[in-house]
Amino acid sequence: MGKRNLYLKTISLEEALEKYEKALEKVLTKKWETIPVTESLGRVTKEAVYAKYCSPLYNSAAMDGIGVITEKTKGATQTSPVELVQGEDFVPVDTGDPVHLPYDGVIMAEDLLETDKEDRVRITEAAAPWQHIRPVGEDIVAGEMILPGHHKIRAIDIGVLLSAGITEISVACRPSVAIFPTGTEMIEPGETPVEGSIIESNSRMFENMAKEQGAEAVRFPILPDDYDTIRDAVARAAKEYDMVVINAGSSAGREDYTVHVLRELGEVIVHGVAVKPGKPVILAVVNNRPVIGLPGYPVSAYIAFENFVSPVLAKMGDFPQEKKPVIQGVVTKRLVSSLKHREYVRVKVGKVGDKLVAAPLARGAGAAMSLVRADGFCIIPQNSEGLEAGEEAEIELYRDLSQIENTLVIIGSHDLILDIMADLMPQIHPGMFISSTHVGSMGGLMALKRQEAHIAPVHLLDETTGVYNESYLKKMFREPMVLIKGVGRIQGLMVKPGNPLGITGISDLRKGRYVNRQRGAGTRILLDYLLGKEGISPDEISGYGCEASTHMAVAAQVAGEGADAGMGVYSAAKAMGLDFIPVGKESYDFALYKKDLDTPLVQAFLDILRSEAFHKKIEELGGYSWEEAGEIREIL
């Protein structure tokens, strides 16, 4: 049995950074090189850069026309034009031509009146001294500072540098980073996965994060979980590269060798940081180079890279560290956190009324899609037990605030059509976006009631009347409400291909393992209604307490080994190649306050709901009807 890495303790993020920076003080040195200005985009200046030449280099014409002796133009009016003679009173000039004394002004060609003599023109307005002349050094004066030191060079900077006669510039060298993915179970993208395989992707994320920052990153092939192989690869890289990043193998598993390798090759400064996700970080020094071991789960890896690799790269490459904007946002869901860790919770952010709201996404360390969907992080400090729904918290944004303010916030029941609408919104209405978070129909109505969403998608059956959604709005809201009719969709039981258990209806759910939707989801309410009609107790259904938050998550469980059946919409079953037993048609609609109906974002949403492009997309999914889509029903 291999040796496990046991964490004796974890230290705070701040303490870990302080210890590591202190250890690196003696070994980190900035390197500089001189390169052509034309190749300097994104590089960082070593020192202040001063102009070699003036720009313009001489007094030059700012317009096409004639250079004149302004004294000789005095008295010219519409009724009493002045005639000028070429060579005596004026010379022809084009934009950029030198203008020498005694000529001290330029008259534009369009302000000249022709005469019957080629060497003469008439003018109807006097010219002022230095009119339409760019004086020498108007833009740049020789000897003045063009760029400060430690400045990241932009495209416009390159143009100005060249205008000032600068053709070469001293810049910080790009730090070179060796990136090693590890894990015997890992396979390269493009290889065919088998059971037990994991497609390796973290290292490519690191490679591009490093490049975005300005470093030179080299990603090496996957290393198996073999001590000697990892040790030899790291030892070589620590001689050839400025930094080494090792992915996976940093935790407490029997085949997690990274920390042992680094202890043999150099000094481990920190192993384990009080950050969630991202605890198993290793900060080490090998051959006077920083070597950092990052955890294998994608979200943990991303957060650890941002917190530890990026700051070290910034020091090595003299990169400016741009702080992400921080806002105050209202959290839409209770967040329980451990006192032991600083926790990073991914959130979707939108503006509802006059407040910014933050809807938490999946919190698992392996939920990579939550990073793609997130607009930012809600950071729960260490020694905090969490946040209550409706409480304000600091949100670190990863998306531009102006985009967030033009985002329609949708919280409620899940359906695949929300992704289609989110895709169509910026195409049909540029500059507008849709953000959707899935908490079930009742959760969406509660978010709407707290005014934390613009729209709540709902499909709630009134068991007494058989009508969807309307009675719930009447019971829960006192203000005038609106129900935008959405789509009709088929709900049913998703089962494995070929239906091996022979499930034909609700009563057959006792045969196998079921996967349910979360409490408050319209699908779960429908299931409970149907179970009641059949006289079946939830206790008779194996897996009734196993919950998934979306139709696609249910379908994935049924397609795998997690369940034999689950209720959901036809489009989800079709997407996962499952068999489908219909149980009924329902109305999937959108609830909102009447006062919000005429807002630009809601009107844009209605445009999409009624559009031919949307109808074509959902027809391809199958299982939907849209005869009433976009109809408005007032609920008083």
Side-chain angles (χ1 to χ4, degrees):
M1 179 181 284
K3 189 196 310 184
R4 291 189 181 273
N5 303 314
L6 299 179
Y7 300 102
L8 297 179
K9 66 173 185 175
T10 55
I11 62 175
S12 71
L13 172 66
E14 293 79 8
E15 185 182 352
L17 277 172
E18 184 180 348
K19 288 183 71 170
Y20 200 41
E21 286 174 358
K22 188 173 182 180
L24 294 176
E25 279 178 1
K26 299 175 183 177
V27 300
L28 282 189
T29 56
K30 292 187 178 72
K31 301 175 184 177
W32 311 96
E33 62 179 334
T34 300
I35 63 172
V37 164
T38 52
E39 299 173 11
S40 66
L41 182 66
R43 304 298 291 273
V44 178
T45 58
K46 176 183 179 182
E47 56 202 0
V49 184
Y50 296 88
K52 185 176 180 181
Y53 303 125
C54 290
S55 178
L57 288 165
Y58 46 81
N59 296 333
S60 63
M63 302 286 179
D64 296 337
I66 59 173
V68 299
I69 302 170
T70 57
E71 183 67 26
K72 294 187 177 183
T73 68
K74 287 183 177 180
T77 65
Q78 291 284 346
T79 57
S80 180
V82 169
E83 188 169 275
L84 302 175
V85 179
Q86 183 174 342
E88 294 180 15
D89 307 317
F90 77 89
V91 290
V93 293
D94 293 321
T95 301
D97 285 349
V99 178
H100 299 295
L101 292 175
Y103 303 104
D104 62 346
V106 170
I107 298 176
M108 293 188 294
E110 51 264 43
D111 292 337
L112 302 175
L113 300 176
E114 294 183 357
T115 69
D116 54 0
K117 295 180 181 180
E118 289 186 3
D119 63 343
R120 296 172 186 251
V121 295
R122 284 200 300 271
I123 59 171
T124 58
E125 185 178 352
W130 301 105
Q131 171 182 293
H132 301 317
I133 291 179
R134 294 188 67 207
V136 59
E138 177 190 57
D139 185 18
I140 302 169
V141 177
E144 78 169 310
M145 188 176 76
I146 302 297
L147 297 177
H150 314 290
H151 170 83
K152 188 175 182 179
I153 298 172
R154 305 163 298 173
I156 185 61
D157 299 330
I158 291 174
V160 172
L161 287 165
L162 295 173
S163 296
I166 309 299
T167 58
E168 291 188 330
I169 189 167
S170 293
V171 295
C173 292
R174 297 183 188 275
S176 59
V177 186
I179 299 169
F180 290 101
T182 71
T184 304
E185 73 281 15
M186 295 293 172
I187 62 172
E188 295 286 0
E191 293 183 32
T192 303
V194 296
E195 185 175 8
S197 300
I198 300 173
I199 298 173
E200 202 288 314
S201 59
N202 283 349
S203 64
R204 294 301 185 187
M205 175 175 69
F206 300 151
E207 178 185 24
N208 287 286
M209 289 173 78
K211 286 179 179 178
E212 275 184 336
Q213 199 166 344
E216 291 181 348
V218 178
R219 185 265 192 186
F220 285 84
I222 299 166
L223 298 176
D225 289 320
D226 177 80
Y227 185 94
D228 292 339
T229 302
I230 295 171
R231 180 195 60 203
D232 293 346
V234 172
R236 284 194 302 272
K239 295 176 182 177
E240 299 172 8
Y241 293 86
D242 298 318
M243 174 189 274
V244 180
V245 172
I246 310 164
N247 187 218
S250 64
S251 191
R254 285 173 292 129
E255 293 186 338
D256 287 339
Y257 297 125
T258 303
V259 73
H260 304 301
V261 164
L262 296 181
R263 283 178 179 141
E264 178 184 338
L265 296 177
E267 180 184 5
V268 172
I269 310 300
V270 173
H271 183 203
V273 181
V275 170
K276 183 180 179 181
K279 181 177 79 170
V281 173
I282 306 169
L283 307 178
V285 178
V286 176
N287 194 35
N288 291 331
R289 265 64 163 202
V291 179
I292 298 179
L294 300 178
Y297 280 123
V299 180
S300 300
Y302 176 86
I303 290 171
F305 190 102
E306 285 275 89
N307 280 327
F308 299 105
V309 178
S310 289
V312 176
L313 281 178
K315 289 201 170 189
M316 296 173 72
D318 207 29
F319 303 135
Q321 279 198 282
E322 298 175 4
K323 288 191 174 181
K324 294 179 174 64
V326 175
I327 56 132
Q328 290 291 317
V330 174
V331 178
T332 64
K333 181 181 177 182
R334 187 178 188 225
L335 295 173
V336 178
S337 186
S338 167
L339 293 170
K340 298 178 180 179
H341 306 100
R342 172 194 293 222
E343 185 168 3
Y344 291 76
V345 180
R346 284 78 76 197
V347 292
K348 295 287 288 181
V349 183
K351 190 171 185 180
V352 181
D354 59 354
K355 65 183 178 183
L356 291 162
V357 296
L361 296 170
R363 295 171 77 175
M369 272 305 297
S370 66
L371 286 175
V372 175
R373 295 190 179 107
D375 297 321
F377 285 102
C378 174
I379 302 175
I380 304 175
Q382 193 174 355
N383 300 318
S384 169
E385 293 182 343
L387 298 164
E388 295 294 334
E391 190 175 344
E392 276 201 346
E394 285 192 350
I395 310 296
E396 188 177 88
L397 291 181
Y398 284 72
R399 185 167 164 238
D400 189 81
L401 185 58
S402 64
Q403 289 187 359
I404 287 170
E405 291 175 341
N406 283 290
T407 295
L408 183 73
V409 179
I410 298 178
I411 299 178
S413 174
H414 168 259
D415 194 283
L416 293 164
I417 70 168
L418 295 177
D419 293 333
I420 292 173
M421 299 186 82
D423 179 51
L424 290 174
M425 177 70 102
Q427 297 179 42
I428 297 175
H429 293 278
M432 292 185 176
F433 307 91
I434 287 176
S435 162
S436 63
T437 309
H438 317 307
V439 297
S441 295
M442 289 302 296
L445 291 180
M446 292 306 297
L448 196 62
K449 193 174 181 67
R450 295 192 300 266
Q451 301 196 39
E452 294 169 355
H454 297 116
I455 287 176
V458 290
H459 61 111
L460 294 165
L461 175 65
D462 186 321
E463 298 176 10
T464 304
T465 65
V467 176
Y468 273 87
N469 303 321
E470 294 184 15
S471 64
Y472 288 87
L473 297 189
K474 290 177 181 177
K475 291 174 187 175
M476 292 181 64
F477 296 89
R478 294 183 179 180
E479 301 90 334
M481 302 296 292
V482 164
L483 195 66
I484 298 174
K485 296 301 292 180
V487 295
R489 64 182 191 179
I490 302 171
Q491 281 268 23
L493 297 175
M494 298 183 279
V495 298
K496 296 183 184 300
N499 194 5
L501 295 184
I503 294 172
T504 60
I506 295 298
S507 60
D508 291 330
L509 292 181
R510 289 173 287 199
K511 291 182 178 180
R513 293 160 302 149
Y514 185 77
V515 56
N516 211 347
R517 291 292 305 281
Q518 74 272 38
R519 292 178 184 275
T523 300
R524 181 160 174 163
I525 291 172
L526 175 61
L527 172 70
D528 290 343
Y529 168 69
L530 295 173
L531 288 175
K533 284 184 67 176
E534 295 281 344
I536 300 173
S537 167
D539 294 337
E540 298 177 62
I541 308 297
S542 173
Y544 179 89
C546 176
E547 299 179 353
S549 61
T550 67
H551 293 280
M552 288 301 292
V554 170
Q557 290 273 6
V558 175
E561 296 184 351
D564 298 302
M567 185 175 285
V569 294
Y570 171 76
S571 56
K574 180 183 175 184
M576 295 298 292
L578 301 173
D579 283 6
F580 186 77
I581 299 103
V583 298
K585 187 176 178 181
E586 65 175 10
S587 297
Y588 183 80
D589 302 326
F590 303 96
L592 68 155
Y593 289 100
K594 183 180 177 181
K595 63 182 175 62
D596 293 332
L597 183 60
D598 293 328
T599 60
L601 283 168
V602 172
Q603 288 298 308
F605 175 82
L606 278 168
D607 284 349
I608 294 170
L609 193 57
R610 296 165 176 163
S611 71
E612 185 177 341
F614 173 64
H615 298 162
K616 185 178 179 181
K617 290 279 190 182
I618 62 174
E619 185 176 23
E620 293 171 2
L621 288 178
Y624 295 99
S625 60
W626 57 87
E627 294 84 4
E628 297 179 318
E631 289 184 12
I632 309 298
R633 296 190 183 172
E634 295 189 14
I635 310 295
L636 301 175

